[in-house]
Amino acid sequence: DAASTRALVEQLHAAHAPAQQLAATVALRKVLSIEHRPPIDRVLGLGVLPTLVALLDRHDNTRLQFEAAWAVTNIASGTATQTRAVVEAGAVPKFVALLRSRDADVQDQCVWALGNIAGDCAALRDRCLHAGAMPAVIALFDEHASDALLRNATWTLSNLCRGKPAPALDVVRMALPLLRALVEHHDEAVVIDALWALSYITDDSSDDNARIDAVARQTGLVSHCVALLAHSNAKLVTPALRTVGNVVTGAEHPTQLVIDAGPWAALRDALASRKKAHRKEATWALSNIFAGSAEQIGAALHAGMMHDVVRALNDDTHDVRKEAMWAVANAAQGGDAAQTRTWATPAVFAGLFKWMASKPDAKTCEVALEAVYNIMEAGDEQRSHSHTPGNMYARHVEALPDALDLLFELQDHKSERVYEKAQAIVERWFYDDDDDDESDTDDD
């Protein structure tokens, strides 16, 4: 009721009565710890947040610090507005400072609070980073830290690396040597969050791929991430797949590190996984490898990965088929004609035309047509070398039900690039001069 609430607030402010102040803080913490719909707004309405934050400075009473930190953490784990209220109350620098506390419980609670705040959004993540959270969190990883503290600290570390726009490279770079060690930690929960941190860092669309290169320069880090693709824990494989997939979006050197580590068996297992997310991530990773150099394309082909990609292109879900289509298109564009002839089977054409028949977006329809065009050109080169009549791949297309009808239909596509590419294929390989001759005869 109102009277007991007023009494609780008065006790919280009773600095002259430490026992009462502690009891009030514990009471608020318990209220805020209710599992379902804790009354955070109601507590904030009491105006007690500034006092709770101020209690974080009570270095003479670590129990009071701990309870206050717990209460503030519960507020920070609420809505975005509630989390921001904690930040605006000045809690972040105090939490960072308390990571150096001699009390392990206080450290654990404060690193958990910072993880909640950093995970809310990029702006609040940056508030944590500007307060020095990254080096302070890294400093927690010593031989005296408990596994529980290391789990929370690694989760917070991953949130400090997360979000768009990405944190400054100089900030995340200082975490890389630690992350290199953590991916070999005995605690799987630590390894999982370390891998998520690496996946966030390597999510790099910059022109110079500086973040991917920074990860690649950590000796043995990429190869160990590849090794973890074969782990029995699916929750660990997921961020490992994401990290490896990100790395192969980079330049030739990081991609080669992945290839040299021998990812093929693990990627094949992922492509056969019951988890669609794993199949999609593995196919996406292969599509990026097939976007590499001719030598890298050759390594994937030698490992037989195109067979698995083509199966996915024909038989998997829409999302996975889309990545498989990109893989085929990349191989057709970047590989040489001799390589293309090793994998351009009727099943490849069946998958590409199945994709185009599903009425995809204009961009991926154009990419599939480009793949068909490039494969057909490889067929022309084969014809010129072997002096055989016709293009063998044209026969594959003609044997597919409705394939030619689809090509003619795509010449009326609303996308200019789609209809131009469809028209180029038809006119180069499927245009029948006899039809024109017959028309001319009829006109006469």
Side-chain angles (χ1 to χ4, degrees):
D1 58 19
S4 60
T5 300
R6 283 195 301 272
L8 186 64
V9 173
E10 289 173 1
Q11 289 177 350
L12 184 68
H13 290 91
H16 61 283
Q20 292 184 15
Q21 196 170 39
L22 176 60
T25 305
V26 171
L28 284 170
R29 183 264 296 170
K30 288 182 177 179
V31 168
L32 291 166
S33 297
I34 295 173
E35 186 173 352
H36 299 291
R37 297 183 181 179
I40 296 176
D41 281 334
R42 182 180 170 192
V43 171
L44 289 174
L46 299 175
V48 298
L49 179 58
T51 303
L52 290 171
V53 171
L55 292 178
L56 298 176
D57 290 329
R58 289 293 301 274
H59 302 292
D60 60 313
N61 191 335
T62 55
R63 174 70 194 285
L64 185 58
Q65 273 185 325
F66 170 70
E67 292 291 347
W70 193 347
V72 177
T73 300
N74 287 342
I75 296 172
S77 65
T79 66
T81 300
Q82 292 160 351
T83 305
R84 185 168 290 277
V86 169
V87 174
E88 298 305 328
V92 169
K94 297 179 187 296
F95 282 139
V96 172
L98 285 174
L99 294 182
R100 296 189 295 272
S101 171
R102 295 182 179 181
D103 188 288
D105 289 337
V106 171
Q107 287 180 313
D108 195 31
Q109 195 59 60
C110 291
V111 79
W112 181 258
L114 288 167
N116 274 319
I117 294 168
D120 183 80
C121 64
L124 296 190
R125 176 207 66 201
D126 288 345
R127 293 281 287 269
C128 294
L129 291 172
H130 292 157
M134 184 67 83
V137 170
I138 291 172
L140 293 174
F141 291 84
D142 61 33
E143 66 273 15
H144 305 297
S146 67
D147 282 353
L149 176 59
L150 293 184
R151 288 188 202 107
N152 286 339
T154 309
W155 172 73
T156 296
L157 186 66
S158 73
N159 279 348
L160 290 172
C161 298
R162 184 181 185 181
K164 295 289 186 179
L169 177 56
D170 287 344
V171 174
V172 298
R173 186 185 278 120
M174 69 176 70
L176 289 177
L178 173 61
L179 291 170
R180 172 65 186 92
L182 293 179
V183 294
E184 297 193 56
H185 198 270
H186 67 270
D187 189 320
E188 288 184 7
V190 169
V191 177
I192 289 169
D193 281 323
L195 286 169
W196 278 118
L198 288 168
S199 78
Y200 303 142
I201 295 170
T202 54
D203 184 7
D204 183 3
S205 57
S206 64
D207 292 337
D208 59 2
N209 295 130
R211 296 168 191 275
I212 293 174
D213 288 342
V215 170
R217 282 194 291 271
Q218 293 293 317
T219 303
L221 178 52
V222 170
S223 61
H224 193 70
C225 289
V226 172
L228 290 173
L229 295 177
H231 202 279
S232 59
N233 185 343
K235 292 183 179 179
L236 191 151
V237 172
T238 299
L241 273 170
R242 179 70 57 82
T243 300
V244 170
N246 285 341
V247 169
V248 295
T249 66
E252 188 172 326
H253 172 64
T255 300
Q256 193 61 44
L257 290 177
V258 171
I259 292 173
D260 291 344
W264 313 122
L267 287 175
R268 183 171 287 112
D269 287 344
L271 283 166
S273 171
R274 296 176 61 183
K275 292 177 67 69
K276 186 184 82 169
H278 285 190
R279 300 197 307 275
K280 181 180 177 182
E281 294 281 355
T283 311
W284 174 66
L286 284 167
S287 76
N288 286 311
I289 292 173
F290 279 122
S293 66
E295 292 76 15
Q296 292 172 340
I297 293 172
L301 293 175
H302 182 73
M305 299 312 299
M306 185 58 83
H307 173 78
D308 301 272
V309 167
V310 174
R311 186 181 66 241
L313 176 62
N314 280 280
D315 300 330
D316 216 311
T317 63
H318 179 86
D319 289 348
V320 180
R321 288 172 53 226
K322 180 178 180 179
E323 300 300 339
M325 185 278 300
W326 274 102
V328 169
N330 288 339
Q333 182 175 34
D336 58 42
Q339 288 176 328
T340 300
R341 290 194 295 272
T342 66
W343 56 264
T345 62
V348 171
F349 287 94
L352 290 171
F353 276 89
K354 182 178 179 180
W355 176 258
M356 291 185 286
S358 68
K359 300 190 182 302
D361 60 276
K363 175 60 179 177
T364 59
C365 187
E366 178 195 346
V367 170
L369 285 167
E370 186 71 31
V372 171
Y373 190 94
N374 288 332
I375 297 170
M376 298 290 291
E377 281 200 318
D380 278 353
E381 186 171 326
Q382 166 71 11
R383 181 179 62 177
S384 66
H385 289 322
S386 62
H387 306 292
T388 56
N391 186 309
M392 62 182 294
Y393 299 129
R395 294 193 289 273
H396 291 343
V397 174
E398 290 167 343
L400 286 173
D402 303 321
L404 289 178
D405 288 343
L406 179 59
L407 284 174
F408 286 114
E409 179 183 324
L410 290 174
Q411 292 180 88
D412 294 323
H413 199 280
K414 62 182 179 181
S415 166
E416 182 177 356
R417 296 176 68 91
V418 168
Y419 81 68
E420 286 179 348
K421 185 57 66 177
Q423 184 179 53
I425 292 170
V426 169
E427 290 185 350
R428 183 165 174 179
W429 289 289
F430 302 105
Y431 188 75
D432 191 346
D433 290 332
D434 291 342
D435 289 344
D436 281 349
D437 293 341
E438 291 176 6
S439 297
D440 291 341
T441 303
D442 289 343
D443 288 342
D444 291 341

